[in-house]
Amino acid sequence: MKAFIICLFCVSFYGYSQSLTPEVVSSTGDHFSTSSAQLSWTLGEVAIDTYAGSSNQLTQGFHQPERPTVSLNEIENNISINAYPNPFNSALNIQIDELDEQVDVIIYNAVGQEVYRDNYSGNSTKSMDLSFLDTGIYMIQFKTSSKTIKTLKIQKI
């Protein structure tokens, strides 16, 4: 019995403690990653609540990223951008007013792949033939050489 107590006492000095890492507890889910993208999904979280202790925080009910802080810089500009008609069938008209430099017009599909790229300069309306695009929702982004001016959601019918 004394040997057991001595062993227990010695092991307590050489033991290691547990460390917490972000984990998701749900009925099902998975995580996939490649060199260019990551996808995490969970299913079955029916309750949402947060419990905070002196050194830990437990949030249940939704999947959280490891980096919860995001900073966005709002860009002030006087450029007016219109894309019409929306939804469109084959041609989309772009009108940009108060433009001082060339703008790249980039269209992305629902999974973020670039499907169209063109440039725009001047203060007139430009018509783009997008009949080759499949029916669906797209994001159209307007960029100068130094910043993104605006992003719009468009729909091809």
Side-chain angles (χ1 to χ4, degrees), residues 33-70:
S33 67
T34 65
S35 61
S36 61
Q38 291 187 14
L39 171 68
S40 294
W41 65 274
T42 56
L43 180 67
E45 297 137 330
V46 296
I48 298 174
D49 208 353
T50 300
Y51 303 100
S54 60
S55 62
N56 296 322
Q57 179 175 341
L58 170 67
T59 303
Q60 68 179 29
F62 55 91
H63 194 108
Q64 297 179 5
E66 288 187 31
R67 297 182 190 118
T69 305
V70 175

PDB file of all heavy atoms in Angstrom, residues 33-70:
ATOM      1  N   SER A  33      -9.511  19.842 -46.934  1.00  0.00           N
ATOM      2  CA  SER A  33      -8.650  20.972 -47.261  1.00  0.00           C
ATOM      3  C   SER A  33      -7.738  20.602 -48.411  1.00  0.00           C
ATOM      4  O   SER A  33      -7.310  19.454 -48.552  1.00  0.00           O
ATOM      5  CB  SER A  33      -7.844  21.427 -46.052  1.00  0.00           C
ATOM      6  OG  SER A  33      -6.922  20.435 -45.680  1.00  0.00           O
ATOM      7  N   THR A  34      -7.490  21.604 -49.257  1.00  0.00           N
ATOM      8  CA  THR A  34      -6.520  21.496 -50.334  1.00  0.00           C
ATOM      9  C   THR A  34      -5.568  22.669 -50.185  1.00  0.00           C
ATOM     10  O   THR A  34      -5.683  23.450 -49.248  1.00  0.00           O
ATOM     11  CB  THR A  34      -7.205  21.542 -51.720  1.00  0.00           C
ATOM     12  OG1 THR A  34      -7.806  22.826 -51.897  1.00  0.00           O
ATOM     13  CG2 THR A  34      -8.253  20.446 -51.848  1.00  0.00           C
ATOM     14  N   SER A  35      -4.674  22.828 -51.124  1.00  0.00           N
ATOM     15  CA  SER A  35      -3.731  23.937 -51.033  1.00  0.00           C
ATOM     16  C   SER A  35      -4.404  25.285 -51.265  1.00  0.00           C
ATOM     17  O   SER A  35      -3.904  26.312 -50.853  1.00  0.00           O
ATOM     18  CB  SER A  35      -2.603  23.750 -52.043  1.00  0.00           C
ATOM     19  OG  SER A  35      -3.143  23.720 -53.354  1.00  0.00           O
ATOM     20  N   SER A  36      -5.597  25.290 -51.897  1.00  0.00           N
ATOM     21  CA  SER A  36      -6.242  26.563 -52.204  1.00  0.00           C
ATOM     22  C   SER A  36      -7.549  26.811 -51.459  1.00  0.00           C
ATOM     23  O   SER A  36      -8.056  27.918 -51.492  1.00  0.00           O
ATOM     24  CB  SER A  36      -6.511  26.653 -53.707  1.00  0.00           C
ATOM     25  OG  SER A  36      -7.386  25.606 -54.091  1.00  0.00           O
ATOM     26  N   ALA A  37      -8.112  25.798 -50.790  1.00  0.00           N
ATOM     27  CA  ALA A  37      -9.410  26.005 -50.131  1.00  0.00           C
ATOM     28  C   ALA A  37      -9.598  25.020 -48.984  1.00  0.00           C
ATOM     29  O   ALA A  37      -8.930  23.991 -48.920  1.00  0.00           O
ATOM     30  CB  ALA A  37     -10.537  25.847 -51.136  1.00  0.00           C
ATOM     31  N   GLN A  38     -10.529  25.397 -48.090  1.00  0.00           N
ATOM     32  CA  GLN A  38     -10.921  24.525 -46.987  1.00  0.00           C
ATOM     33  C   GLN A  38     -12.434  24.489 -46.893  1.00  0.00           C
ATOM     34  O   GLN A  38     -13.096  25.500 -47.160  1.00  0.00           O
ATOM     35  CB  GLN A  38     -10.378  25.035 -45.658  1.00  0.00           C
ATOM     36  CG  GLN A  38      -8.904  24.932 -45.523  1.00  0.00           C
ATOM     37  CD  GLN A  38      -8.455  25.293 -44.110  1.00  0.00           C
ATOM     38  OE1 GLN A  38      -9.254  25.362 -43.183  1.00  0.00           O
ATOM     39  NE2 GLN A  38      -7.165  25.516 -43.950  1.00  0.00           N
ATOM     40  N   LEU A  39     -12.976  23.342 -46.506  1.00  0.00           N
ATOM     41  CA  LEU A  39     -14.414  23.207 -46.315  1.00  0.00           C
ATOM     42  C   LEU A  39     -14.649  22.406 -45.051  1.00  0.00           C
ATOM     43  O   LEU A  39     -14.128  21.304 -44.899  1.00  0.00           O
ATOM     44  CB  LEU A  39     -15.071  22.492 -47.504  1.00  0.00           C
ATOM     45  CG  LEU A  39     -16.538  22.107 -47.322  1.00  0.00           C
ATOM     46  CD1 LEU A  39     -17.401  23.363 -47.269  1.00  0.00           C
ATOM     47  CD2 LEU A  39     -16.990  21.192 -48.413  1.00  0.00           C
ATOM     48  N   SER A  40     -15.400  22.982 -44.119  1.00  0.00           N
ATOM     49  CA  SER A  40     -15.806  22.284 -42.903  1.00  0.00           C
ATOM     50  C   SER A  40     -17.308  22.349 -42.822  1.00  0.00           C
ATOM     51  O   SER A  40     -17.904  23.394 -43.094  1.00  0.00           O
ATOM     52  CB  SER A  40     -15.212  22.947 -41.662  1.00  0.00           C
ATOM     53  OG  SER A  40     -13.821  22.818 -41.658  1.00  0.00           O
ATOM     54  N   TRP A  41     -17.937  21.231 -42.439  1.00  0.00           N
ATOM     55  CA  TRP A  41     -19.388  21.246 -42.308  1.00  0.00           C
ATOM     56  C   TRP A  41     -19.796  20.386 -41.121  1.00  0.00           C
ATOM     57  O   TRP A  41     -19.090  19.469 -40.735  1.00  0.00           O
ATOM     58  CB  TRP A  41     -20.072  20.772 -43.583  1.00  0.00           C
ATOM     59  CG  TRP A  41     -19.805  19.333 -43.941  1.00  0.00           C
ATOM     60  CD1 TRP A  41     -18.750  18.837 -44.660  1.00  0.00           C
ATOM     61  CD2 TRP A  41     -20.599  18.205 -43.571  1.00  0.00           C
ATOM     62  NE1 TRP A  41     -18.838  17.489 -44.773  1.00  0.00           N
ATOM     63  CE2 TRP A  41     -19.970  17.061 -44.116  1.00  0.00           C
ATOM     64  CE3 TRP A  41     -21.770  18.030 -42.854  1.00  0.00           C
ATOM     65  CZ2 TRP A  41     -20.482  15.786 -43.950  1.00  0.00           C
ATOM     66  CZ3 TRP A  41     -22.278  16.766 -42.699  1.00  0.00           C
ATOM     67  CH2 TRP A  41     -21.638  15.662 -43.245  1.00  0.00           C
ATOM     68  N   THR A  42     -20.919  20.751 -40.525  1.00  0.00           N
ATOM     69  CA  THR A  42     -21.480  19.997 -39.415  1.00  0.00           C
ATOM     70  C   THR A  42     -22.980  19.910 -39.595  1.00  0.00           C
ATOM     71  O   THR A  42     -23.587  20.703 -40.316  1.00  0.00           O
ATOM     72  CB  THR A  42     -21.177  20.672 -38.065  1.00  0.00           C
ATOM     73  OG1 THR A  42     -21.671  22.005 -38.096  1.00  0.00           O
ATOM     74  CG2 THR A  42     -19.687  20.700 -37.791  1.00  0.00           C
ATOM     75  N   LEU A  43     -23.592  18.955 -38.927  1.00  0.00           N
ATOM     76  CA  LEU A  43     -25.027  18.741 -39.044  1.00  0.00           C
ATOM     77  C   LEU A  43     -25.576  18.322 -37.688  1.00  0.00           C
ATOM     78  O   LEU A  43     -24.947  17.563 -36.962  1.00  0.00           O
ATOM     79  CB  LEU A  43     -25.306  17.634 -40.076  1.00  0.00           C
ATOM     80  CG  LEU A  43     -26.750  17.275 -40.345  1.00  0.00           C
ATOM     81  CD1 LEU A  43     -27.454  18.444 -41.031  1.00  0.00           C
ATOM     82  CD2 LEU A  43     -26.831  16.045 -41.213  1.00  0.00           C
ATOM     83  N   GLY A  44     -26.731  18.836 -37.347  1.00  0.00           N
ATOM     84  CA  GLY A  44     -27.422  18.351 -36.166  1.00  0.00           C
ATOM     85  C   GLY A  44     -27.294  19.204 -34.930  1.00  0.00           C
ATOM     86  O   GLY A  44     -27.649  18.762 -33.845  1.00  0.00           O
ATOM     87  N   GLU A  45     -26.810  20.414 -35.029  1.00  0.00           N
ATOM     88  CA  GLU A  45     -26.723  21.280 -33.861  1.00  0.00           C
ATOM     89  C   GLU A  45     -28.065  21.977 -33.678  1.00  0.00           C
ATOM     90  O   GLU A  45     -28.457  22.806 -34.484  1.00  0.00           O
ATOM     91  CB  GLU A  45     -25.607  22.300 -34.053  1.00  0.00           C
ATOM     92  CG  GLU A  45     -24.273  21.622 -34.178  1.00  0.00           C
ATOM     93  CD  GLU A  45     -23.424  22.219 -35.269  1.00  0.00           C
ATOM     94  OE1 GLU A  45     -23.954  22.725 -36.255  1.00  0.00           O
ATOM     95  OE2 GLU A  45     -22.209  22.154 -35.116  1.00  0.00           O
ATOM     96  N   VAL A  46     -28.771  21.611 -32.634  1.00  0.00           N
ATOM     97  CA  VAL A  46     -30.131  22.123 -32.457  1.00  0.00           C
ATOM     98  C   VAL A  46     -30.227  23.234 -31.423  1.00  0.00           C
ATOM     99  O   VAL A  46     -31.236  23.907 -31.338  1.00  0.00           O
ATOM    100  CB  VAL A  46     -31.099  20.985 -32.079  1.00  0.00           C
ATOM    101  CG1 VAL A  46     -31.203  19.992 -33.208  1.00  0.00           C
ATOM    102  CG2 VAL A  46     -30.638  20.286 -30.800  1.00  0.00           C
ATOM    103  N   ALA A  47     -29.203  23.430 -30.618  1.00  0.00           N
ATOM    104  CA  ALA A  47     -29.248  24.460 -29.578  1.00  0.00           C
ATOM    105  C   ALA A  47     -28.045  25.381 -29.727  1.00  0.00           C
ATOM    106  O   ALA A  47     -26.971  24.953 -30.121  1.00  0.00           O
ATOM    107  CB  ALA A  47     -29.232  23.823 -28.194  1.00  0.00           C
ATOM    108  N   ILE A  48     -28.252  26.650 -29.421  1.00  0.00           N
ATOM    109  CA  ILE A  48     -27.164  27.627 -29.492  1.00  0.00           C
ATOM    110  C   ILE A  48     -27.025  28.275 -28.127  1.00  0.00           C
ATOM    111  O   ILE A  48     -27.986  28.810 -27.590  1.00  0.00           O
ATOM    112  CB  ILE A  48     -27.448  28.710 -30.554  1.00  0.00           C
ATOM    113  CG1 ILE A  48     -27.561  28.066 -31.925  1.00  0.00           C
ATOM    114  CG2 ILE A  48     -26.375  29.770 -30.548  1.00  0.00           C
ATOM    115  CD1 ILE A  48     -27.987  29.018 -32.999  1.00  0.00           C
ATOM    116  N   ASP A  49     -25.818  28.219 -27.564  1.00  0.00           N
ATOM    117  CA  ASP A  49     -25.584  28.820 -26.255  1.00  0.00           C
ATOM    118  C   ASP A  49     -24.081  28.992 -26.055  1.00  0.00           C
ATOM    119  O   ASP A  49     -23.291  28.289 -26.658  1.00  0.00           O
ATOM    120  CB  ASP A  49     -26.160  27.940 -25.146  1.00  0.00           C
ATOM    121  CG  ASP A  49     -26.553  28.739 -23.919  1.00  0.00           C
ATOM    122  OD1 ASP A  49     -26.255  29.944 -23.875  1.00  0.00           O
ATOM    123  OD2 ASP A  49     -27.154  28.153 -23.008  1.00  0.00           O
ATOM    124  N   THR A  50     -23.700  29.922 -25.196  1.00  0.00           N
ATOM    125  CA  THR A  50     -22.299  30.157 -24.889  1.00  0.00           C
ATOM    126  C   THR A  50     -22.115  30.143 -23.381  1.00  0.00           C
ATOM    127  O   THR A  50     -22.865  30.787 -22.657  1.00  0.00           O
ATOM    128  CB  THR A  50     -21.825  31.514 -25.454  1.00  0.00           C
ATOM    129  OG1 THR A  50     -21.997  31.499 -26.861  1.00  0.00           O
ATOM    130  CG2 THR A  50     -20.365  31.768 -25.126  1.00  0.00           C
ATOM    131  N   TYR A  51     -21.116  29.406 -22.933  1.00  0.00           N
ATOM    132  CA  TYR A  51     -20.779  29.340 -21.521  1.00  0.00           C
ATOM    133  C   TYR A  51     -19.341  29.826 -21.369  1.00  0.00           C
ATOM    134  O   TYR A  51     -18.447  29.344 -22.045  1.00  0.00           O
ATOM    135  CB  TYR A  51     -20.894  27.901 -21.001  1.00  0.00           C
ATOM    136  CG  TYR A  51     -22.250  27.298 -21.216  1.00  0.00           C
ATOM    137  CD1 TYR A  51     -22.493  26.430 -22.271  1.00  0.00           C
ATOM    138  CD2 TYR A  51     -23.305  27.613 -20.358  1.00  0.00           C
ATOM    139  CE1 TYR A  51     -23.749  25.885 -22.470  1.00  0.00           C
ATOM    140  CE2 TYR A  51     -24.561  27.072 -20.560  1.00  0.00           C
ATOM    141  CZ  TYR A  51     -24.769  26.201 -21.608  1.00  0.00           C
ATOM    142  OH  TYR A  51     -26.012  25.669 -21.799  1.00  0.00           O
ATOM    143  N   ALA A  52     -19.118  30.774 -20.476  1.00  0.00           N
ATOM    144  CA  ALA A  52     -17.773  31.317 -20.272  1.00  0.00           C
ATOM    145  C   ALA A  52     -17.341  31.063 -18.839  1.00  0.00           C
ATOM    146  O   ALA A  52     -18.089  31.305 -17.897  1.00  0.00           O
ATOM    147  CB  ALA A  52     -17.755  32.810 -20.563  1.00  0.00           C
ATOM    148  N   GLY A  53     -16.139  30.550 -18.695  1.00  0.00           N
ATOM    149  CA  GLY A  53     -15.547  30.340 -17.386  1.00  0.00           C
ATOM    150  C   GLY A  53     -14.399  31.299 -17.200  1.00  0.00           C
ATOM    151  O   GLY A  53     -14.194  32.230 -17.984  1.00  0.00           O
ATOM    152  N   SER A  54     -13.609  31.096 -16.171  1.00  0.00           N
ATOM    153  CA  SER A  54     -12.491  32.006 -15.911  1.00  0.00           C
ATOM    154  C   SER A  54     -11.399  31.876 -16.960  1.00  0.00           C
ATOM    155  O   SER A  54     -10.732  32.851 -17.289  1.00  0.00           O
ATOM    156  CB  SER A  54     -11.928  31.759 -14.517  1.00  0.00           C
ATOM    157  OG  SER A  54     -11.471  30.414 -14.432  1.00  0.00           O
ATOM    158  N   SER A  55     -11.209  30.670 -17.509  1.00  0.00           N
ATOM    159  CA  SER A  55     -10.138  30.499 -18.492  1.00  0.00           C
ATOM    160  C   SER A  55     -10.594  29.826 -19.781  1.00  0.00           C
ATOM    161  O   SER A  55      -9.809  29.695 -20.705  1.00  0.00           O
ATOM    162  CB  SER A  55      -8.998  29.697 -17.879  1.00  0.00           C
ATOM    163  OG  SER A  55      -9.469  28.407 -17.523  1.00  0.00           O
ATOM    164  N   ASN A  56     -11.841  29.397 -19.862  1.00  0.00           N
ATOM    165  CA  ASN A  56     -12.337  28.696 -21.036  1.00  0.00           C
ATOM    166  C   ASN A  56     -13.673  29.266 -21.481  1.00  0.00           C
ATOM    167  O   ASN A  56     -14.388  29.875 -20.691  1.00  0.00           O
ATOM    168  CB  ASN A  56     -12.520  27.200 -20.745  1.00  0.00           C
ATOM    169  CG  ASN A  56     -11.218  26.507 -20.443  1.00  0.00           C
ATOM    170  OD1 ASN A  56     -10.213  26.806 -21.052  1.00  0.00           O
ATOM    171  ND2 ASN A  56     -11.242  25.584 -19.500  1.00  0.00           N
ATOM    172  N   GLN A  57     -13.988  29.035 -22.748  1.00  0.00           N
ATOM    173  CA  GLN A  57     -15.286  29.424 -23.281  1.00  0.00           C
ATOM    174  C   GLN A  57     -15.808  28.275 -24.131  1.00  0.00           C
ATOM    175  O   GLN A  57     -15.089  27.744 -24.974  1.00  0.00           O
ATOM    176  CB  GLN A  57     -15.162  30.681 -24.132  1.00  0.00           C
ATOM    177  CG  GLN A  57     -16.489  31.118 -24.720  1.00  0.00           C
ATOM    178  CD  GLN A  57     -16.375  32.430 -25.469  1.00  0.00           C
ATOM    179  OE1 GLN A  57     -15.431  33.188 -25.283  1.00  0.00           O
ATOM    180  NE2 GLN A  57     -17.327  32.698 -26.316  1.00  0.00           N
ATOM    181  N   LEU A  58     -17.057  27.892 -23.902  1.00  0.00           N
ATOM    182  CA  LEU A  58     -17.698  26.826 -24.656  1.00  0.00           C
ATOM    183  C   LEU A  58     -18.874  27.435 -25.407  1.00  0.00           C
ATOM    184  O   LEU A  58     -19.755  28.035 -24.792  1.00  0.00           O
ATOM    185  CB  LEU A  58     -18.195  25.711 -23.733  1.00  0.00           C
ATOM    186  CG  LEU A  58     -19.100  24.661 -24.377  1.00  0.00           C
ATOM    187  CD1 LEU A  58     -18.309  23.852 -25.389  1.00  0.00           C
ATOM    188  CD2 LEU A  58     -19.703  23.760 -23.327  1.00  0.00           C
ATOM    189  N   THR A  59     -18.849  27.320 -26.727  1.00  0.00           N
ATOM    190  CA  THR A  59     -19.961  27.793 -27.540  1.00  0.00           C
ATOM    191  C   THR A  59     -20.508  26.593 -28.270  1.00  0.00           C
ATOM    192  O   THR A  59     -19.777  25.895 -28.965  1.00  0.00           O
ATOM    193  CB  THR A  59     -19.493  28.868 -28.542  1.00  0.00           C
ATOM    194  OG1 THR A  59     -18.896  29.911 -27.810  1.00  0.00           O
ATOM    195  CG2 THR A  59     -20.654  29.404 -29.338  1.00  0.00           C
ATOM    196  N   GLN A  60     -21.780  26.344 -28.119  1.00  0.00           N
ATOM    197  CA  GLN A  60     -22.390  25.205 -28.788  1.00  0.00           C
ATOM    198  C   GLN A  60     -23.447  25.682 -29.765  1.00  0.00           C
ATOM    199  O   GLN A  60     -24.022  26.744 -29.597  1.00  0.00           O
ATOM    200  CB  GLN A  60     -23.024  24.263 -27.775  1.00  0.00           C
ATOM    201  CG  GLN A  60     -24.242  24.847 -27.077  1.00  0.00           C
ATOM    202  CD  GLN A  60     -24.852  23.866 -26.099  1.00  0.00           C
ATOM    203  OE1 GLN A  60     -24.156  23.033 -25.546  1.00  0.00           O
ATOM    204  NE2 GLN A  60     -26.136  23.972 -25.900  1.00  0.00           N
ATOM    205  N   GLY A  61     -23.647  24.918 -30.805  1.00  0.00           N
ATOM    206  CA  GLY A  61     -24.756  25.179 -31.701  1.00  0.00           C
ATOM    207  C   GLY A  61     -24.397  25.694 -33.064  1.00  0.00           C
ATOM    208  O   GLY A  61     -25.231  25.747 -33.930  1.00  0.00           O
ATOM    209  N   PHE A  62     -23.172  26.071 -33.315  1.00  0.00           N
ATOM    210  CA  PHE A  62     -22.789  26.458 -34.662  1.00  0.00           C
ATOM    211  C   PHE A  62     -21.289  26.316 -34.824  1.00  0.00           C
ATOM    212  O   PHE A  62     -20.536  26.402 -33.875  1.00  0.00           O
ATOM    213  CB  PHE A  62     -23.249  27.869 -35.018  1.00  0.00           C
ATOM    214  CG  PHE A  62     -22.795  28.926 -34.052  1.00  0.00           C
ATOM    215  CD1 PHE A  62     -21.623  29.610 -34.234  1.00  0.00           C
ATOM    216  CD2 PHE A  62     -23.587  29.234 -32.949  1.00  0.00           C
ATOM    217  CE1 PHE A  62     -21.221  30.584 -33.345  1.00  0.00           C
ATOM    218  CE2 PHE A  62     -23.189  30.210 -32.058  1.00  0.00           C
ATOM    219  CZ  PHE A  62     -21.996  30.878 -32.255  1.00  0.00           C
ATOM    220  N   HIS A  63     -20.883  26.076 -36.044  1.00  0.00           N
ATOM    221  CA  HIS A  63     -19.485  25.849 -36.378  1.00  0.00           C
ATOM    222  C   HIS A  63     -18.754  27.187 -36.400  1.00  0.00           C
ATOM    223  O   HIS A  63     -19.181  28.114 -37.061  1.00  0.00           O
ATOM    224  CB  HIS A  63     -19.429  25.190 -37.757  1.00  0.00           C
ATOM    225  CG  HIS A  63     -18.108  24.611 -38.073  1.00  0.00           C
ATOM    226  ND1 HIS A  63     -17.903  23.262 -38.096  1.00  0.00           N
ATOM    227  CD2 HIS A  63     -16.932  25.175 -38.385  1.00  0.00           C
ATOM    228  CE1 HIS A  63     -16.655  23.030 -38.420  1.00  0.00           C
ATOM    229  NE2 HIS A  63     -16.045  24.184 -38.600  1.00  0.00           N
ATOM    230  N   GLN A  64     -17.647  27.283 -35.689  1.00  0.00           N
ATOM    231  CA  GLN A  64     -16.903  28.532 -35.606  1.00  0.00           C
ATOM    232  C   GLN A  64     -15.519  28.358 -36.218  1.00  0.00           C
ATOM    233  O   GLN A  64     -14.878  27.339 -36.031  1.00  0.00           O
ATOM    234  CB  GLN A  64     -16.728  28.947 -34.152  1.00  0.00           C
ATOM    235  CG  GLN A  64     -18.014  29.224 -33.470  1.00  0.00           C
ATOM    236  CD  GLN A  64     -17.773  29.601 -32.030  1.00  0.00           C
ATOM    237  OE1 GLN A  64     -16.651  29.746 -31.586  1.00  0.00           O
ATOM    238  NE2 GLN A  64     -18.833  29.765 -31.294  1.00  0.00           N
ATOM    239  N   PRO A  65     -15.035  29.370 -36.921  1.00  0.00           N
ATOM    240  CA  PRO A  65     -13.671  29.286 -37.453  1.00  0.00           C
ATOM    241  C   PRO A  65     -12.647  29.462 -36.342  1.00  0.00           C
ATOM    242  O   PRO A  65     -12.964  29.956 -35.271  1.00  0.00           O
ATOM    243  CB  PRO A  65     -13.612  30.452 -38.437  1.00  0.00           C
ATOM    244  CG  PRO A  65     -14.596  31.434 -37.904  1.00  0.00           C
ATOM    245  CD  PRO A  65     -15.699  30.624 -37.285  1.00  0.00           C
ATOM    246  N   GLU A  66     -11.420  29.073 -36.612  1.00  0.00           N
ATOM    247  CA  GLU A  66     -10.366  29.237 -35.615  1.00  0.00           C
ATOM    248  C   GLU A  66      -9.952  30.689 -35.477  1.00  0.00           C
ATOM    249  O   GLU A  66      -9.467  31.094 -34.442  1.00  0.00           O
ATOM    250  CB  GLU A  66      -9.164  28.382 -35.992  1.00  0.00           C
ATOM    251  CG  GLU A  66      -9.422  26.912 -35.784  1.00  0.00           C
ATOM    252  CD  GLU A  66      -8.173  26.093 -35.988  1.00  0.00           C
ATOM    253  OE1 GLU A  66      -7.063  26.596 -35.723  1.00  0.00           O
ATOM    254  OE2 GLU A  66      -8.318  24.948 -36.415  1.00  0.00           O
ATOM    255  N   ARG A  67     -10.143  31.495 -36.521  1.00  0.00           N
ATOM    256  CA  ARG A  67      -9.799  32.916 -36.474  1.00  0.00           C
ATOM    257  C   ARG A  67     -11.096  33.725 -36.531  1.00  0.00           C
ATOM    258  O   ARG A  67     -11.555  34.084 -37.602  1.00  0.00           O
ATOM    259  CB  ARG A  67      -8.896  33.283 -37.641  1.00  0.00           C
ATOM    260  CG  ARG A  67      -7.597  32.565 -37.612  1.00  0.00           C
ATOM    261  CD  ARG A  67      -6.716  33.020 -38.770  1.00  0.00           C
ATOM    262  NE  ARG A  67      -5.584  32.134 -38.847  1.00  0.00           N
ATOM    263  CZ  ARG A  67      -5.305  31.370 -39.883  1.00  0.00           C
ATOM    264  NH1 ARG A  67      -6.054  31.412 -40.947  1.00  0.00           N
ATOM    265  NH2 ARG A  67      -4.270  30.587 -39.866  1.00  0.00           N
ATOM    266  N   PRO A  68     -11.685  34.029 -35.389  1.00  0.00           N
ATOM    267  CA  PRO A  68     -12.988  34.685 -35.407  1.00  0.00           C
ATOM    268  C   PRO A  68     -12.954  36.179 -35.716  1.00  0.00           C
ATOM    269  O   PRO A  68     -13.973  36.795 -35.883  1.00  0.00           O
ATOM    270  CB  PRO A  68     -13.512  34.442 -33.988  1.00  0.00           C
ATOM    271  CG  PRO A  68     -12.282  34.328 -33.159  1.00  0.00           C
ATOM    272  CD  PRO A  68     -11.255  33.690 -34.042  1.00  0.00           C
ATOM    273  N   THR A  69     -11.778  36.793 -35.794  1.00  0.00           N
ATOM    274  CA  THR A  69     -11.696  38.229 -36.018  1.00  0.00           C
ATOM    275  C   THR A  69     -11.437  38.514 -37.486  1.00  0.00           C
ATOM    276  O   THR A  69     -10.495  37.988 -38.068  1.00  0.00           O
ATOM    277  CB  THR A  69     -10.562  38.838 -35.177  1.00  0.00           C
ATOM    278  OG1 THR A  69     -10.766  38.482 -33.819  1.00  0.00           O
ATOM    279  CG2 THR A  69     -10.525  40.335 -35.320  1.00  0.00           C
ATOM    280  N   VAL A  70     -12.287  39.334 -38.074  1.00  0.00           N
ATOM    281  CA  VAL A  70     -12.137  39.729 -39.473  1.00  0.00           C
ATOM    282  C   VAL A  70     -12.198  41.241 -39.529  1.00  0.00           C
ATOM    283  O   VAL A  70     -13.042  41.865 -38.915  1.00  0.00           O
ATOM    284  CB  VAL A  70     -13.259  39.127 -40.339  1.00  0.00           C
ATOM    285  CG1 VAL A  70     -13.166  39.633 -41.760  1.00  0.00           C
ATOM    286  CG2 VAL A  70     -13.201  37.623 -40.302  1.00  0.00           C
TER     287      VAL A  70
END
